[in-house]
Amino acid sequence: MEKLQNFFIIIKLISNFPANLDSKPNMVTTKTPDLPESWLKVLANEFKKDYFKALKAFLLQEKAQYKNQIYPPGKQIFSAFHHTPLDDLKVVIIGQDPYHGPGQANGLCFSVADGIPQPPSLKNIFKEIERDLGTPPPASGNLERWAKQGVLLLNATLTVRHKTPGSHQKRGWEQFTDKVIKTISDEKQDVVFLLWGSFAQQKAQLVDRSKHHILQTTHPSPFSAHRGFLGSGHFSKCNDILTSKGRTPVQW
């Protein structure tokens, strides 16, 4: 009976993720997700690869076992791509994995849903924006307003288990998001990459520095923000670069 219940749970979850079950037992085939056309043109093949099928199988197992304790909700897993089509992209901020508390993650790195208390790193981000640009911290920590201006808020790992940071790392997400970063580097010109902390800075090797701009400093976490992030001026520097290239600065 338990196996049968798990089977129906898995079938129900399929609608929240771009895949379906193959006719063979324990096999998964992927189908093209509902992403903006500009992303589908360059990423569609990734969803057909073995690593992504294995990732899909892992996520279905996780959701069957942990029910609603996988974050963000299925429909928000690819929110970064929905809010920032490749054609509109001009800035990339890279995070590690989603917030692992109930209701926090909304598919955008460093961002939380409306009405959710701002985590310490996000508070430091707003603190630096106020110091750098004079803009007072907003009431909401939802960064969709940045994403809609062309700021891709990309976590390296797009899902996480409740209260278990890093639980979905090394399952395939990193291969997918590395492909995203490399594609941006190949397809775009004069994108500003904001790399905060050693993890994000490792991604610099995927970026062609001859055609893009990389700003690096410490992570905005309370453990490291005072060693470089606070006082970095990244937000004004980013806008200066965009303006110099004839692009509209971000309203941070």
Side-chain angles (χ1 to χ4, degrees):
M1 180 61 69
E2 182 179 353
K3 291 183 178 180
L4 183 61
Q5 290 175 337
N6 285 340
F7 173 78
F8 284 112
I9 290 173
I10 291 174
I11 294 299
K12 184 177 180 180
L13 287 167
I14 289 172
S15 63
N16 285 334
F17 201 83
N20 54 27
L21 295 179
D22 192 15
S23 58
K24 297 180 181 179
N26 301 319
M27 292 295 290
V28 175
T29 58
T30 60
K31 62 181 180 181
T32 303
D34 181 22
L35 295 182
E37 183 62 26
S38 59
W39 284 116
L40 287 178
K41 287 179 180 179
V42 294
L43 295 177
N45 287 337
E46 295 301 301
F47 300 103
K48 303 174 185 177
K49 294 182 178 180
D50 288 344
Y51 84 88
F52 204 89
K53 295 178 184 179
L55 169 62
K56 167 59 177 168
F58 166 72
L59 290 175
L60 290 177
Q61 292 171 357
E62 285 280 284
K63 290 183 179 182
Q65 181 174 356
Y66 297 101
K67 306 301 187 291
N68 296 322
Q69 294 188 323
I70 304 300
Y71 309 134
K75 292 181 179 179
Q76 293 185 323
I77 290 175
F78 293 102
S79 286
F81 302 90
H82 284 288
H83 289 299
T84 313
L86 181 61
D87 291 344
D88 300 333
L89 186 152
K90 56 189 179 185
V91 179
V92 177
I93 299 177
I94 298 174
Q96 194 158 354
D97 59 358
Y99 295 122
H100 50 82
Q104 287 184 304
N106 66 352
L108 308 175
C109 73
F110 294 106
S111 174
V112 292
D114 291 324
I116 299 296
Q118 297 172 8
S121 292
L122 184 56
K123 287 183 178 180
N124 278 335
I125 289 172
F126 290 146
K127 183 178 180 179
E128 173 58 15
I129 291 173
E130 183 173 28
R131 187 210 64 80
D132 188 18
L133 299 173
T135 304
S140 174
N142 192 333
L143 301 181
E144 288 181 7
R145 61 189 181 280
W146 293 4
K148 292 176 180 178
Q149 296 178 71
V151 181
L152 182 68
L153 298 165
L154 181 68
N155 276 316
T157 302
L158 300 188
T159 56
V160 70
R161 189 190 312 142
H162 173 73
K163 295 297 183 182
T164 315
S167 52
H168 288 185
Q169 292 178 3
K170 300 180 180 179
R171 292 288 184 169
W173 278 131
E174 294 91 342
Q175 184 172 344
F176 174 72
T177 53
D178 279 358
K179 174 64 175 179
V180 172
I181 296 167
K182 183 65 166 59
T183 297
I184 294 169
S185 178
D186 292 344
E187 299 290 330
K188 302 286 289 185
Q189 182 79 31
D190 289 319
V191 172
V192 183
F193 289 82
L194 303 181
L195 306 182
W196 301 332
S198 59
F199 178 86
Q201 289 163 16
Q202 293 173 13
K203 305 300 181 179
Q205 63 185 331
L206 302 170
V207 179
D208 184 348
R209 292 174 180 265
S210 70
K211 56 187 291 197
H212 299 291
H213 313 272
I214 296 178
L215 299 177
Q216 300 185 135
T217 189
T218 61
H219 194 277
S221 162
F223 299 105
S224 58
H226 63 284
R227 298 200 302 266
F229 180 82
L230 296 174
S232 65
H234 269 196
F235 302 97
S236 61
K237 290 177 181 176
C238 175
N239 279 350
D240 287 345
I241 293 171
L242 294 174
T243 301
S244 73
K245 300 300 178 182
R247 311 192 73 177
T248 304
V250 177
Q251 297 297 315
W252 300 105

